[in-house]
Amino acid sequence: MLQNETICQQLRLKNIQPFSAKNAVEAMRLLLSGYNVDVILLDIFLPTYAGYDLISILKSDERFSTILVVGLAAYREKDMLSEILDLGADDFIYKPYNINEFFARVRANIRVSKLIKRLKEASEKDYLTGIYNRRTFFHFLENLSVLSIRENKPLSFVILDIDHFKKINDTYGHDVGDFVLKKFAEIVLKMTRRSDVFGRYGGEEFCLALPNTDIYGACLLANKIRSTIAQTIMTFKNEKIISFNVTISAGVSEFSKGMSIDELIKIADNNLYLAKKNGRNCVYPLLESLPQKNLKGF
């Protein structure tokens, strides 16, 4: 514990903000609560769980894939180095350490971690709107479908499409079209929960994965989004100010055991087609056609 406090104090003196954990369980609790961590300095001999147990857990969970792990151990334990590195540790520092080398190693690993985060975000996010791209979205959807079956909880899928988007581009130009896409994504993000997954399906189509939400709750949310978008005045300022309204249509489906992701998407896509066919600016299935079940969160 004294070593922990000493290291934290040394890091603060170098303008590096540390988060301290007494054991592996407390460390996991901090990580799961959302702390932004670049590097973990990990003593391989921890109370309750050994450090290498924590390394195995961290390196098997993609949520922590950008966090680098630096092992700390006494020189007499150097025979454990290969084992720790095989488990996934990114670097190793022997105790007692040279303070200048210590800070150099920490800073180097922080730089690498930040670079990995930027590269990961670039590979996962849509370049224009900043939300998940199609590939990443469907990776999450696959995982949520497995979780839905295991926990016997509902999962819904929504396709959202901006009506007459080609006309917006043709009338005002692609700069205005890009503005509409970014504004739309910004509005939807504010209306969804942290547990929901929002992505760009392609072009002017977007998609939502809604865990613990049945089709009624999903249609209710989609209608709230539709109504909010319809009431939002899109104001684009450039050489001249352009103001206009847009509408969206949506198709919704609910996942069930034995259903493939392709089937889930096809049902939502067919419902989107019905929404377009019946005048746009609406959500299918219609709310009045569905039994009211789970409204939690909406």
Side-chain angles (χ1 to χ4, degrees):
M1 187 61 191
L2 180 60
Q3 174 192 263
N4 196 326
E5 292 175 359
T6 301
I7 289 176
C8 287
Q9 186 177 15
Q10 290 170 335
L11 291 170
R12 290 190 191 97
L13 290 173
K14 294 294 183 178
N15 296 316
I16 299 171
Q17 180 56 51
F19 300 104
S20 176
K22 299 174 183 176
N23 52 52
V25 174
E26 188 175 318
M28 284 302 299
R29 191 176 294 121
L30 285 172
L31 291 171
L32 291 170
S33 65
Y35 279 82
N36 184 22
V37 176
D38 295 314
V39 174
I40 294 176
L41 296 173
L42 179 65
D43 197 313
I44 62 170
F45 292 108
L46 290 171
T48 311
Y49 292 97
Y52 44 82
D53 291 330
L54 182 57
I55 293 173
S56 297
I57 294 170
L58 291 171
K59 292 303 179 178
S60 64
D61 193 321
E62 66 180 55
R63 290 173 295 180
F64 310 124
S65 62
T66 63
I67 301 175
L68 300 192
V69 178
V70 178
L72 298 174
Y75 186 76
R76 64 179 179 274
E77 296 150 3
K78 64 179 182 178
D79 57 322
M80 301 184 68
L81 175 58
S82 60
E83 181 183 351
I84 300 302
L85 293 175
D86 283 344
L87 286 171
D90 302 282
D91 201 355
F92 208 89
I93 299 175
Y94 287 121
K95 301 179 291 184
Y97 48 79
N98 176 282
I99 193 66
N100 292 324
E101 180 187 354
F102 174 78
F103 285 126
R105 290 278 193 94
V106 171
R107 287 198 186 95
N109 279 287
I110 289 175
R111 287 195 296 270
V112 172
S113 177
K114 289 184 181 297
L115 176 60
I116 292 172
K117 284 181 180 178
R118 289 198 296 272
L119 292 173
K120 186 172 187 288
E121 184 171 325
S123 70
E124 292 179 345
K125 299 294 180 72
D126 172 60
Y127 75 97
L128 180 65
T129 61
I131 62 174
Y132 289 119
N133 59 31
R134 179 176 178 139
R135 179 182 60 82
T136 306
F137 175 86
F138 284 107
H139 173 70
F140 278 114
L141 185 61
E142 287 280 0
N143 289 341
L144 287 172
S145 68
V146 173
L147 196 63
S148 172
I149 294 171
R150 187 168 66 212
E151 298 186 352
N152 193 29
K153 291 182 178 179
L155 168 68
S156 290
F157 173 75
V158 184
I159 299 179
L160 304 155
D161 184 273
I162 299 174
D163 296 326
H164 303 297
F165 185 73
K166 184 178 183 301
K167 186 177 179 181
I168 295 172
N169 278 331
D170 292 345
T171 304
Y172 303 113
H174 289 278
D175 285 350
V176 178
D178 288 349
F179 166 76
V180 170
L181 294 172
K182 288 188 282 188
K183 185 67 176 177
F184 171 76
E186 179 186 313
I187 291 171
V188 176
L189 276 175
K190 289 179 180 178
M191 298 183 69
T192 51
R193 306 164 298 184
R194 289 188 64 182
S195 59
D196 299 332
V197 183
F198 181 40
R200 189 173 177 189
Y201 193 59
E204 68 274 23
E205 288 188 333
F206 295 77
C207 44
L208 277 168
L210 306 173
N212 301 327
T213 306
D214 64 23
I215 194 166
Y216 186 89
C219 286
L220 190 63
L221 174 62
N223 269 293
K224 286 184 178 180
I225 293 171
R226 179 201 58 77
S227 177
T228 300
I229 294 296
Q231 295 174 45
T232 300
I233 298 174
M234 300 282 176
T235 302
F236 181 81
K237 298 179 181 179
N238 200 347
E239 295 176 357
K240 58 180 180 178
I241 299 175
I242 303 169
S243 295
F244 56 95
N245 290 83
V246 300
T247 62
I248 66 165
S249 302
V252 184
S253 58
E254 182 177 352
F255 180 74
S256 62
K257 189 174 181 179
M259 179 186 288
S260 69
I261 295 299
D262 286 342
E263 289 171 323
L264 180 71
I265 296 167
K266 185 175 181 180
I267 293 169
D269 203 38
N270 288 339
N271 282 330
L272 176 62
Y273 171 77
L274 291 174
K276 295 282 189 181
K277 183 180 179 182
N278 286 276
R280 294 180 168 83
N281 191 24
C282 63
V283 175
Y284 264 72
L286 298 173
L287 273 173
E288 54 267 30
S289 70
L290 299 169
Q292 297 187 24
K293 295 179 182 177
N294 178 18
L295 302 183
K296 186 177 181 181
F298 300 107

